[in-house]
Amino acid sequence: MRIIIDTEQSVLEVAGSGTTAQYPLFSPEAFGIVSRQWIVLGWNLGHWQTLSWMGRQFLQLPDDMLRLAELFWTLRPDVIVETGVYDGGSTLFFASLCRLHGPGRVISIEREFRPGVQEAVRQNAGDTVILIEGDSASPETALQVQRNIHPGERVCVFLDSDHSAQHVAAELSHLSPLVSEGCYLVVADSICPDLARTPNGESAWSWDHAGAAVNAFLASHPEFTRERPTPLFSGLADFTELSYFPGTWLRRH
Ligand SMILES: C[S@@+](CC[C@H](N)C(=O)[O-])C[C@H]1O[C@@H](n2cnc3c(N)ncnc32)[C@H](O)[C@@H]1O
């Protein structure tokens, strides 16, 4: 694909597979095409590694986290279950949201905590966060999570550990039953196929990715639908595509 941005004529031209299409530069279509490239180029250069929350590295795209914050503000879940802690940035972010919402806590699962992470989370979030060390794809870990959830509590789940299809499929199988009606299960980094051919991507991501697990899961779980929460405020285009996981927000009915 070849993209030409003509700022003098205010036209965006896309050529590929023997066809050429032109869009007004200031149209939602042109924005969509350019922003998809922006997402891929920014991922490759590590934009997502440059943020922090309460001093801990936070491996996310800012838009994604503000969209999640909006969802959690609206739903006010009692529990946010997270897989994949890394440096603790997302864990502390979710804990901060819980503290703003009122009662609420985070249960975070990590295969192997990096030195200092548990201490930093405890120091900054106290008992708002429960940390569990274990494999987020195992039924034993899911049981441990379940023991920390009280009957009737409203639960959302965010999966951000190993993004391979097999791992995400197992996480979905064991952790999706915890999601409450009307709440969400969000699967991170499902744009991996778009990143597979970048210098820092991996070719296996073309077929082995979280989105494949989500597709298979949805085919046999009618209680979930793929549903992006409607933003509270809108602009002249759909900006929800500015995301590392635009298509893997699942709502439980
Ligand atoms: C993408 S990072 C998480 C980033 C973090 N959520 C954030 O936003 O800053 C993935 C984390 O998942 C952890 N992980 C990988 N495989 C895992 C598994 N099987 N069970 C639990 N955690 C795992 C890794 O050790 C790593 O810390």
Side-chain angles (χ1 to χ4, degrees):
M1 179 168 66
R2 211 157 44 87
I3 300 172
I4 299 169
I5 300 174
D6 184 340
T7 55
E8 286 176 14
Q9 298 298 318
S10 294
V11 166
L12 179 115
E13 189 175 291
V14 184
S17 314
T19 59
T20 301
Q22 284 197 340
Y23 304 94
L25 187 55
F26 296 103
S27 64
E29 291 80 9
F31 177 79
I33 292 161
V34 173
S35 57
R36 184 47 50 194
Q37 294 308 310
W38 182 87
I39 287 281
V40 171
L41 299 184
W43 178 86
N44 183 63
L45 294 176
H47 174 211
W48 52 279
Q49 297 172 322
T50 62
L51 298 165
S52 63
W53 190 261
M54 300 175 88
R56 307 306 299 191
Q57 197 177 4
F58 190 11
L59 305 184
Q60 301 290 339
L61 188 71
D63 277 64
D64 280 327
M65 289 302 104
L66 286 181
R67 298 285 176 206
L68 271 179
E70 188 171 85
L71 175 69
F72 293 150
W73 180 261
T74 309
L75 290 177
R76 304 195 181 211
D78 300 296
V79 180
I80 300 170
V81 176
E82 165 194 53
T83 69
V85 172
Y86 190 63
D87 198 44
S90 57
T91 308
L92 288 173
F93 180 73
F94 295 145
S96 302
L97 296 178
C98 286
R99 286 182 164 182
L100 288 171
H101 299 157
R105 61 192 186 287
V106 184
I107 304 177
S108 297
I109 307 163
E110 168 60 47
R111 181 181 53 191
E112 189 177 353
F113 286 106
R114 288 151 49 90
V117 170
Q118 288 167 289
E119 295 76 3
V121 169
R122 266 188 222 113
Q123 192 182 342
N124 288 297
D127 55 13
T128 307
V129 175
I130 296 167
L131 294 174
I132 295 177
E133 193 163 60
D135 179 2
S136 55
S138 84
E140 293 76 22
T141 305
L143 199 61
Q144 237 181 307
V145 174
Q146 198 180 9
R147 284 197 197 105
N148 283 285
I149 298 173
H150 310 301
E153 285 191 315
R154 296 174 67 249
V155 181
C156 286
V157 171
F158 180 61
L159 303 182
D160 187 28
S161 59
D162 174 341
H163 303 306
S164 67
Q166 192 184 14
H167 181 82
V168 175
E171 284 186 325
L172 286 167
S173 156
H174 302 311
L175 297 174
S176 67
L178 302 177
V179 179
S180 313
E181 261 179 46
C183 286
Y184 275 77
L185 192 170
V186 180
V187 181
D189 284 2
S190 46
I191 60 152
C192 279
D194 295 352
L195 310 173
R197 292 176 60 195
T198 62
N200 289 315
E202 290 178 24
S203 56
W205 293 350
S206 299
W207 65 88
D208 186 7
H209 55 89
V214 169
N215 295 343
F217 173 80
L218 285 176
S220 56
H221 288 80
E223 73 276 23
F224 282 94
T225 50
R226 204 186 291 275
E227 193 176 314
R228 209 50 219 266
T230 308
L232 294 182
F233 300 94
S234 55
L236 296 176
D238 179 1
F239 296 98
T240 57
E241 290 292 314
L242 285 174
S243 173
Y244 288 163
F245 44 89
T248 47
W249 297 63
L250 313 183
R251 184 166 190 268
R252 180 159 195 168
H253 298 279

